[in-house]
Amino acid sequence: MGQYASRNDAQELAMQQVYMEKAAFYVAELKRQLGRQPLCCVTTFGCQMNARDSEKLLGILTRIGYAATTEEKEADFVIYNTCTVRDNANQRVYGRLGFLNSMKRNKPHLKVALCGCMMQERSVIEKITKSYRFVDLIFGTHNIFKFAQLLVTMFENHEMIIDIWQETDQIVEELPVNRKYSYKSGINIMFGCNNFCSYCIVPYVRGRERSRDPKEIIQEIEHLVTDGVVEVMLLGQNVNSYGKNLEDPITFAKLLQEVEQIEGLRRIRFMTSHPKDLSDELIDVMKQSKKICRHLHLPVQAGSDRILQAMNRHYTKAQYLALVDKIRTAMPDIALTTDIIVGFPGETIKDVEETIDVVRKVQYDNAFTFIYSKRTGTPAAAMEDQVPEAVVHEGFDKLLKVVQETAKERAALLQGKVMEALVEEVNEQDASLMTGRLSNNMLVHFPASESLIGQLVQVSLDECHGFYYTGHIVK
Ligand code: SAH
Ligand code: SF4
Ligand code: F3S
């Protein structure tokens, strides 16, 4: 599924194409030695942006002659695209690296690469250079477009190659991309983040906010649609501030209106919205739209004003609730989801009660609840009153119960309705069923043929099973 992103830094692109040819030569040589096609395995940790980056990595790897496998054991090239938003993501990477080390002892030609957000942290690089000497290639989030060139350097050298940039203003697209799904795709509309929420490491590892030119975004989506895509997800850490720093500033709502015009495109999603920047214009555009899905992910993080302020979120509980009210008044059928952190420094059970109150009032369709993870270098890590584990767990368990109750209640409201679903894949448990996604992001399983994948069908939601439905196609 070769696909080209929009045109951009032409000179850099031409150079990378030369490196792809050169890398292909080394992979062909490996193929001759092995007597079979070399296999590569790309493992992704973290968010949608990393998932999109991984499609780019795989695009280059397949272009230079590797075949993709999801079986790490079989691979001749393994790359981890890492996340560092919470410490457990880092621990998973270290755990798996231990396993890769033993794999490499039995398979000396195996190449191991690491990239992504975790690699932008100096302490991580120190640890890997000291304790994981077998890693062949390390790069970060800013120079992923140089992947072909880095591969060539890796093939031509025997020591560990490390290339980490602190920042970049370059946006190089138009390199090969190997999409995971034929019918839907993520699109980066912006990179980085300027919000500096006090707990969050993303601004440090992804750099300052940079928006892509709207024309390039539209062109990329047009190409995707020609290639069979019916649903796009516009990606950015805070899509509501899209376009503010462009030479010709444009709002996110305007961009959405332009995307809406693309013929053949059926559904538009986006992630993530910061409540402080969500405009009336956006609500209005969503309301009028026939293609923008009835789902908004609106991270609240906490319900206590004191904690929200310490988090540097720039809104109060009352402002957030008023915003939700405005959204629900405009679009009563919209599904709202959120992210919540429990255990931020100084947070008491009373503060968590405020968060629970928000959940009760908003009635989220789903909420991702996280235990606060201390990230070195962020302001919150230096705060004195880190919360004892027992207190965190008490609050977390209480919150989770309410989140699950309200989500169940919300889900049950759709019983018996007929709604449009995008047929996505064969059901994992029962191959006679297909899994579809509703506009509000809920899943429904129904008997259908695999040939419907990528099509929009009308489904009757017959039985609610907590967070998903079973149903049948209505002719
Ligand atoms: N840009 C997005 C979110 C990116 S990270 C936004 O602002 O909504 C995804 C989620 O991880 C965040 O919404 C937050 O809930 C959580 N998160 C970020 N840093 C965290 C930390 N240090 N500990 C626990 N959860 C964290
Ligand atoms: Fe992190 Fe806040 Fe930026 Fe989201 S908006 S990536 S939580 S700093
Ligand atoms: Fe993780 Fe980086 Fe995304 S830290 S959440 S992969 S931007």
Side-chain angles (χ1 to χ4, degrees), residues 317-333:
K317 177 183 173 189
Q319 284 168 335
Y320 183 91
L321 289 174
L323 177 64
V324 166
D325 234 25
K326 201 153 59 172
I327 296 166
R328 280 257 165 81
T329 307
M331 294 166 282
D333 59 340

Side-chain angles (χ1 to χ4, degrees), residues 186-243:
I187 317 269
N188 297 112
I189 62 165
M190 58 201 297
F191 302 92
C193 181
N194 286 354
N195 288 314
F196 290 96
C197 302
S198 62
Y199 49 82
C200 184
I201 200 160
V202 171
Y204 305 89
V205 296
R206 285 274 171 177
R208 292 296 60 72
E209 193 178 290
R210 283 155 288 138
S211 293
R212 281 179 70 196
D213 184 327
K215 280 197 236 45
E216 291 178 359
I217 295 168
I218 299 293
Q219 245 175 44
E220 179 175 353
I221 300 175
E222 282 171 350
H223 281 140
L224 288 167
V225 170
T226 315
D227 204 39
V229 164
V230 291
E231 178 180 305
V232 289
M233 164 92 82
L234 310 182
L235 299 172
Q237 293 299 351
N238 176 15
V239 291
N240 296 327
S241 63
Y242 169 79

Side-chain angles (χ1 to χ4, degrees), residues 75 92 94 151 175 190 217 284 342 349 365 389 399 427 454:
R92 272 168 59 215
Y94 290 129
L151 284 169
L175 285 160
M190 58 201 297
I217 295 168
D284 202 45
V342 177
I349 285 291
D365 292 74
E389 219 170 291
L399 170 72
N427 183 293

Side-chain angles (χ1 to χ4, degrees), residues 7 19 21 64 117 226 230 257 271 286 309 312 368:
R7 60 152 278 100
Y19 281 114
E21 278 167 37
I64 64 174
C117 296
T226 315
V230 291
Q257 282 178 310
M271 264 187 104
M286 283 184 86
Q309 190 174 16
N312 194 31
F368 300 94

Side-chain angles (χ1 to χ4, degrees), residues 45-47 49-50 82-85 117 201-202 205-206 237:
F45 300 82
C47 66
M49 262 146 287
N50 258 20
T82 62
C83 170
T84 186
V85 78
C117 296
I201 200 160
V202 171
V205 296
R206 285 274 171 177
Q237 293 299 351

